[in-house]
Structure formats: C-alpha cells, structure tokens
Amino acid sequence: MSDAVTEAVAKTNLLDLDREGMEHFFADILGEKRFRAHQVMKWIYHQHVTDFGQMTDVGKALRAKLEAVAEIRPPNVLFDKPSADGTHKWLLGMDAGNAIEAVFIPDKGRGTLCVSSQVGCGLNCQFCSTATQGFNRNLSTAEIIGQVWVASKHLGNKTHLNRKLTNVVMMGMGEPLLNFDNVVRAMSIMRDDLGFGLANKRVTLSTSGLVPMIDRLAVESDVALAVSLHAPNDELRTELIPLNKKYPVAELMDACVRYLRNKRKGDSVTFEYTLMKGVNDSPAIARELAKLMKSFSNKMQYADAGKVNLIPFNPFPGTRFERSGETEIRAFQKILLDAGVLAMVRRTRGDDIDAACGQLKGQVMDRTRRQSEFKRKLEQQGVSDAA
Ligand code: SAH
C-alpha cells in the first residue's frame, strides 16, 4: 500500500468488523494470514487492549502496518453513574452533539447489559421517553459493540465484586431492526468466542414489530426475540405504537411463529407488556392477551412458546401515562398464569439513576422536530425539567 493511499483513506475502526470482516481485512487488505485477525480480536475483546503496540504476539512489522491503516476506537465515556442497587449507567459520546445510554443490571447469577441501536428513535411510541427526543441516526457496528466493550472493561476491573456481563438485550434507545446490518454484525461479535462469547440465547433483540425485518432476522441471525406488544388488539396497540397500523397484531404474531419455526424446538418469544394505569391493565384486556398467547402456543404446538414480561410503566417528565397499581399488576399477572400463560413481572431497577426501560435519554440532535414539539408541550404544562 502506498503512503499516498494510506493517508487519503480514513483509518478502519476494527470495532466495525465482525470475524468475517476482520479475516477479509487481514487477508485481502493487509495481505496477512487469517489467524492474525483472530489474535487481534482476542486482544480487543478479551483483554480490552486498544493500542497495537501492546499486542505482544503480533510481529512489529504488522503492528506498524496496523497503526497506519487501522484503529480501535471505542465510544467516549462522557459520564457514568452507579445506582444504589448495583445498576450502572453510561452516557457515551457518539459524535459532536449526540450521546446514547447503556445500562448494566446485575441480578441473581447474571448481569444484563441494555444496549442502544440508534441515536434517538423515529417510531414515536407514546409511552417511551426516547420517542420524545426525536431521531438523529443509526449507530455504527463499532458504536453498538463499543457499548459492550466499555461495560465489560469496567466490570472486568471489578471482579472482586463478582459482577460479570452474561446477557445483552438490545432494549436501549432505538429500534434495532431499523439498523439491521450494524445490529446483526454487532450481535455476531457478542456471540463469537473471539468476541464476548455469549450464548445465542443470551443475546436478545427487542423490536416494536417490524414484520419483514423479523423474517430477515430469522434467516440472518440466531438470537432470542422479544416483541414489544403492550396491547392484545389493534385498536389499542395502534394508539400506543403507531407502527401497528402498518403491521397489525395478527401479522406480527404470525411473524413470531415463523421466527420460532426457524429456531430450535422449545425456544420462546418474549412479549413485553408495559402496564399503564387505566390504559391496558384491565382484567378484560388480560383475558384477551391470555387468549392471544394461547393461540400462539397452539400454533407452535408446545407450551410456553410465548412468555409475557410485564413491565410496570416507568414515568418520565411530561408523560400522560401512569404506572398501574400493585393490585392491578398482580391481578393482571394472575389472569395470565391461571390461563396457563407464563408471565413475569419485571421489577424496575436503577430507579435512582433513571435507567429503567423507556427512561434512557442520552442526548439527541433531533432531526425530526419531535424534541422541540415535546418541549413546547411541556412548557404549556408548566414542566421545566425536560432538558
Ligand atoms: N424499539 C425496541 C427496543 C426498545 S426496548 C422495542 O420497541 O422493542 C425497550 C422496552 O421498554 C420496550 O418493550 C418498550 O416498549 C418498553 N418501554 C418503553 N417505554 C417504557 C416506559 N416508559 N416504561 C416501561 N417500559 C417502557
């Protein structure tokens, strides 16, 4: 490679490449053996090394070559904050003006990292604070896997607390299926032994229900699927999730059936259901949801093909929704359980650092004007802490 070429071309951030990309980069761009790619991946993901100079089993000449054309550039940690309950939140700078959040949640025997896929979100789900921020852009593969890298480095430094990252959920800011290629590539690094080595079932993608993309995911990746359902019928679901107009409940459930048929028998889809007072938490709606879940299991011909995750609504400034009462939450769960539907209540963690579902905000240079509309609405209501 001539100097003129190397100077003209921006350095490749190796965090953007999965194993296949790394092998291609080393073999076809650098003219090196493939196993060199594997060595470098281990330095990056197992040792958290970003300086080629420290990669002691990589020859000097190759290290110099790498320095000229490549870099390992994780996101900038702008701010990080532990919660009293062990939850940890990072604010990560993506570029000038944009920042996203990632949250680590330790729980009996496991540690889950909640990862963002976009700066903001364009879907405008009525009960989600990210929606009020508007949308700026998709995250790159490096920016997605970089969140896992930052958290795992941080946790690695604290082994004495016996906390370890065991699960990743794509449940942070953004709709992961609208950033398909970068998300799939990042999830492949999460599950690769040369990356973070997580089992397939321990990486979960959560979607608001983009039917064609669920079908594509079934073919192109092998991860657990979670679907944000929040209502068992179209009338209510469209009110909460505008995307439902395009992909109604019946079509969404059929896509979930197709997804599972592509996977191992016995696998399940998790249906997220945020409980909002007087909106979607009545016994009649619980029965309707139970029926929908039973029909899903019947189609799969095994029990528990669908699991319901009940999430008590997490409030944010300016929202018109409220969390359901404890009695209603219990009653809703009981109706599902009595009907033979697996249903768990997901208890809120990280309350003191606004790290719960639907509360991640980051900093979004909005390009949809949603943020300014929301701020205007808040001002009208006399709410001032909307920054
Ligand atoms: N866009 C994807 C990923 C976001 S996941 C999706 O929709 O699935 C975040 C989960 O938290 C989703 O199930 C979302 O519907 C839910 N959620 C959003 N706002 C919430 C809130 N204020 N309280 C509780 N759950 C919320």
Side-chain angles (χ1 to χ4, degrees), residues 127-129 170-172 174-176 206-208 228 230 272 274 311-314 316 357-358:
F127 50 87
C128 182
S129 94
M170 299 298 308
M171 293 186 187
E175 168 49 52
S206 176
T207 178
S208 52
S228 295
H230 308 308
E272 293 152 284
T274 296
I311 316 168
F313 174 71
N314 295 307
F316 52 90
C357 297

Side-chain angles (χ1 to χ4, degrees), residues 48-75:
H48 303 106
V49 165
T50 54
D51 175 2
F52 294 117
Q54 286 178 28
M55 301 184 178
T56 47
D57 60 358
V58 176
K60 246 192 171 153
L62 174 53
R63 277 192 252 162
K65 224 196 271 187
L66 281 167
E67 246 144 52
V69 297
E71 61 182 349
I72 300 155
R73 190 159 43 85

Side-chain angles (χ1 to χ4, degrees), residues 187 191-192 197-204 221-224 264:
M187 293 192 308
R191 287 146 47 232
D192 193 326
L198 302 179
N200 290 349
K201 279 187 167 183
R202 288 176 176 269
V203 174
T204 301
S221 191
D222 191 4
V223 293
R264 288 155 298 270

Side-chain angles (χ1 to χ4, degrees), residues 115-116 139-148 170 179 182-183 186:
V115 167
S116 296
L139 296 181
S140 66
T141 303
E143 290 166 332
I144 300 167
I145 201 65
Q147 298 168 56
V148 189
M170 299 298 308
N179 184 12
N182 291 340
V183 165

